[in-house]
Amino acid sequence: MPNPQDRSADPAAREMLIRAAELGAKTVWDRHEDLKPLCGFGELGLCCDVCYMGPCRIDPFGERAQVGACGADAHLIVARNLARAVACGAAAHSDHGREVVAVFRHAAEAGSASGYAISNVEKLMALAAEWGVPSANRPERQVAADLAARMASQFGLQDGPLVPLLRAPEEQRRRWEKMGIAPRGIDREIVELLHRTSHGVESDPVALLRAAMRAALADGWGGSMIATDVQDVLFGGPMAIRSRANLGVLEAQQVNILVHGHEPVLSEMLVAASRESDMLELARQAGAEGINIAGICCTANEILMRQGMPIAGNYLHQELALLTGAVDLMVVDVQCVMPSLPQVAACHHTKVVTTSSKAHVPGAEHIGFDAHDARRTAREIVARAVEAFGRRDPARVHIPSHRMDLVAGFTNENLPHYLGGRFRAGYRPLIDAIASGRIRGVVAVVGCNTARISQDSHHLALVRRLLSQDVLVVQTGCSAIACAKAGLLRPEAAVEYAGPGLQEVCAAVGVPPVLHLGSCVDNSRILAVCTALVAEGGIGSDLSELPIAAAAPEAMSEKAITIGLYAVASGVFTAFTPVPRVAGSRVVRQYLEHDVERETGGRFLFTDDIEEAARGILAHLDSKRKALNLAPMMYQDGVRSGAPGAFRAMSTYVQPIGLASLGCGKAQERSQLRPPEE
Ligand code: MSK
């Protein structure tokens, strides 16, 4: 078998790849290998299947066809393919947003009968004020119903700015207006974008890329942002919380249920159902010591942030988890779910259950999830898992021992508290740490795994490099899970990996040097943090002036390019690895990696080399620091270079909160018949 080290940086994954070979199971890595060599035209973005005269392929060496049958050249074909990917990625996030708004509306109208509750009244009222929904002397449910109706109307908004767009810094909005890319509702933007990519419509590649940016913005500042807000209202605003990550969180003596996908409306209900006494009794009767719910991908991030539930792994772990033979049931909803799961699950007794009316997988059992009857569906799924536990063969169970402690649950709303302490809550301490040269800047490292790159290796290499250069890292998605598995989400990671300036700040505040901010839709939280930094003042008047950057080191999904594009459109320098399908067009690369900066203030760096990505990010942060005339970095390569005491120390601002005040106890509320071992 191929060397597992080439396939994953994660020791648990390597162990399971050996186990997969023993079981004769094929995984995503094997299938990817079987496909080689990958189609060179496709990789360059030079294959066009927009009409049925083709597919037309442009010869990158200039020897054969330089245009498709209709006359479309390489630049148009590449731009069209990219725009279609952006439309698809934006649709995924924003349809997620639409679903949770529907559940929110149902919860407001049906009250407790819905099985859902308004958990975060403070945020509900803050949103009502922002959205112009009257709240004085009105019952919460009425306020929520009106807010839900207003939010629902945003998806199809035909004209005028989206409500959440008004959160963006004024200068950013001015740029969008000037470019004509201030987005309307996501439905309108996606339909228009797809229309423009259809045969014989938009033939200017740059105009198409601008339209793609508009759709991406409608997602980032619209659909995704609404999803995050509504989830916080329904399920509670996250607080810093401790938990654990990697396949070692599976419990040999318990019923193991894995939740996988993206929308928390089902997984939150499953967690609640697994804690009900009759369900626990059912598990006891089946011989289990408890019911253990753990997550894969972004559903994992959602239930981690709010419930402290453990994370079994990121995208490339989904098949490996099934191969342990310890998973009794995997329940999935939408996005990033491999169609191969039922075949892999067939190695053992494991049941795969689909729940979304939009996502069926042949070979899996479908138990339709209806938000109007959510509790019953959740209980049925838990009962099926207990039933499956009875068929588990303990002799075939192989659970890697690897698991790692972590702290997660940071948000734009709670960060000021953690950074500034109870009495000085705010972003001022962070800004001062940046201005004084203790922290070089803030970088969002987000996104997926891909079988093209040894799992997690790029995430870890980039994040460790940034930490060593005093860069504070914020994370979402599978990238956050990669770092969680490697121990970078522990406060101690500051001592192990951070440069001295960042180390001082982390020690004073008691947070990890890598802050977990949630799932893919929660990239909207990162936009909100950046906006808050601008609003606080002192390090830039729009996002493009801040010493910040973003990176997707192992991008796989179309959602990743959508997120990258709305980051760039919002003024953020974004390193994207591996190079997406743009290499076939000089015009597209020139625009996205250079010219767009004059318009939005942000730009892409496309590279396959993670070290080049790190160098690009660090150079970008330094150029922004220079433009703002900020103090030189206090430490260079670990050695203090500034005058001691020249700047006020972070610790003079903050009240150390330390781990003791993090939500340590919450994970212990998990539905186990015995307390989790710590
Ligand atoms: S789940 S989109 S592999 S981050 Fe959001 Fe992970 Fe990427 Fe799916």
Side-chain angles (χ1 to χ4, degrees), residues 627-642:
L628 289 164
N629 207 16
L630 299 183
M633 287 305 293
M634 205 171 270
Y635 298 92
Q636 294 293 347
D637 296 325
V639 179
R640 183 155 186 141
S641 55

Side-chain angles (χ1 to χ4, degrees), residues 72-408:
D73 63 11
H75 314 301
L76 177 57
I77 290 172
V78 169
R80 246 177 358 202
N81 288 338
L82 192 78
R84 286 186 167 205
V86 169
C88 204
H93 284 149
S94 291
D95 214 31
H96 168 167
R98 189 197 317 273
E99 285 292 327
V100 292
V101 168
V103 172
F104 179 37
R105 201 169 186 168
H106 171 55
E109 286 166 4
S112 57
S114 69
Y116 294 98
I118 308 294
S119 304
N120 190 344
V121 175
E122 197 183 334
K123 183 148 185 176
L124 170 70
M125 293 305 166
L127 287 169
E130 181 185 5
W131 286 69
V133 173
S135 58
N137 305 319
R138 299 183 72 207
E140 279 163 22
R141 279 176 54 188
Q142 270 182 23
V143 176
D146 288 354
L147 179 61
R150 283 217 66 188
M151 286 175 157
S153 72
Q154 293 281 290
F155 291 83
L157 187 73
Q158 298 299 304
D159 291 300
L162 295 165
V163 173
L165 206 69
L166 300 173
R167 295 176 184 175
E170 207 178 319
E171 178 58 19
Q172 226 73 50
R173 284 184 276 138
R174 193 193 60 72
R175 286 177 186 267
W176 296 335
E177 289 296 340
K178 192 171 165 205
M179 288 176 69
I181 62 166
R184 300 154 296 182
I186 188 73
D187 296 353
R188 172 149 195 198
E189 295 304 350
I190 289 177
V191 168
E192 180 176 316
L193 183 58
L194 289 177
H195 177 197
R196 289 172 77 154
T197 66
S198 69
H199 178 78
V201 185
E202 181 63 82
S203 295
D204 177 347
V206 173
L208 203 47
L209 295 173
R210 291 196 187 106
M213 262 192 274
R214 195 176 191 186
L217 285 170
D219 172 28
W221 293 87
S224 284
M225 204 166 267
I226 290 172
T228 297
D229 282 342
V230 168
Q231 288 169 186
D232 283 354
V233 171
L234 274 178
F235 307 121
M239 295 296 284
I241 192 164
R242 294 172 82 179
S243 190
R244 286 169 297 195
N246 217 339
L247 293 171
V249 304
L250 295 172
E251 298 283 353
Q253 305 303 327
Q254 297 191 31
V255 176
N256 289 304
I257 301 176
L258 281 191
V259 290
H260 173 26
H262 280 76
E263 296 171 0
V265 289
L266 169 63
S267 50
E268 285 279 340
M269 203 54 95
L270 275 169
V271 172
S274 73
R275 289 171 174 162
E276 290 181 14
S277 55
D278 60 336
M279 288 286 131
L280 289 167
E281 182 52 31
L282 202 64
R284 196 197 309 270
Q285 283 170 13
E289 292 182 2
I291 302 172
N292 180 38
I293 296 199
I296 295 272
C297 277
C298 279
T299 294
N301 287 317
E302 298 282 2
I303 57 169
L304 163 71
M305 295 262 283
R306 297 189 180 87
Q307 307 285 348
M309 307 309 283
I311 289 191
N314 46 5
Y315 175 73
L316 287 176
H317 264 42
Q318 58 188 287
E319 292 175 312
L320 303 181
L322 297 183
L323 291 171
T324 62
V327 177
D328 301 297
L329 185 144
M330 177 184 270
V331 55
V332 304
D333 52 24
V334 290
Q335 301 170 29
C336 302
V337 175
M338 292 184 191
S340 62
L341 292 180
Q343 284 117 59
V344 177
C347 286
H348 299 293
H349 69 298
T350 309
K351 229 178 159 39
V352 178
V353 172
T354 56
T355 53
S356 169
S357 60
K358 297 169 197 163
H360 304 82
V361 178
E365 182 181 352
H366 188 77
I367 302 180
F369 175 71
D370 177 0
H372 294 81
D373 201 7
R375 182 166 170 262
R376 189 199 54 76
T377 317
R379 284 172 56 83
E380 184 183 340
I381 291 169
V382 173
R384 293 290 175 92
V386 174
E387 207 177 279
F389 174 83
R391 295 193 296 275
R392 191 195 290 177
D393 179 354
R396 287 168 58 82
V397 168
H398 181 106
I399 304 176
S401 59
H402 304 276
R403 63 179 179 188
M404 184 57 77
D405 292 333
L406 65 94
V407 177

